[in-house]
Every structure is written in C-alpha cells, then in structure tokens.
Amino acid sequence: TGSGAIIVTLLAERVDASPSAHRLVPGEMHDGVVHLTTRRGPAMLSGMATADVLAVIPPGAAAEAGTDVEVLPLPWGSGLLV
C-alpha cells in the first residue's frame, strides 16, 4: 500500500478551476499522466468508481493540459505507490 503522499504529474486535459477553492477531480493514471474521468460534476461518484487518483486543481485560473498537478492516490487504485 502507498503512504498517502502527494505526487506531481502531468495533466492530460484542461480543467476549470474554482475562483476561491481547491477542486478534487477524479482521474486515472496512464503512463505518468493523469486523465480525468468523464463524470466529475454532480455524478462524480460514478467517476470515482473508475478513478485511481484525485487531481488537485488549485483556485484561480484553469489548469491547462500539459501542466503539472498534484494527485492524491486512492486506496482502491492501481497500486500507484506500491
């Protein structure tokens, strides 16, 4: 199992940010890049079912594809930290 440490990786696609709060967006890691799940709004729980990480999107401007973002591994994930 992993240590719960935050990992920095590349974002595969653009994601909007909240103006005043961090967003936690479900995603899947593939070849060192986080790809966001398609369900990340009101239906976020179904997106969480396939996610192995949460991407941490800081407040302010949108996070653009190719930028570094922090990800939090999920305990049922693919063994990112094993």
Side-chain angles (χ1 to χ4, degrees):
T1 61
S3 66
I6 294 176
I7 298 166
V8 177
T9 189
L10 291 177
L11 185 62
E13 62 216 66
R14 181 184 189 276
V15 61
D16 291 328
S18 166
S20 60
H22 284 79
R23 287 187 66 196
L24 299 176
V25 184
E28 299 174 17
M29 291 293 294
H30 298 285
D31 298 322
V33 177
V34 64
H35 298 265
L36 305 179
T37 62
T38 55
R39 305 228 183 223
R40 51 184 183 254
M44 182 177 164
L45 286 179
S46 48
M48 290 283 291
T50 60
D52 53 13
V53 296
L54 291 174
V56 180
I57 309 301
E64 299 295 335
T67 59
D68 286 336
V69 293
E70 294 178 342
V71 294
L72 301 168
L74 294 171
W76 58 84
S78 62
L80 186 63
L81 292 177
V82 175

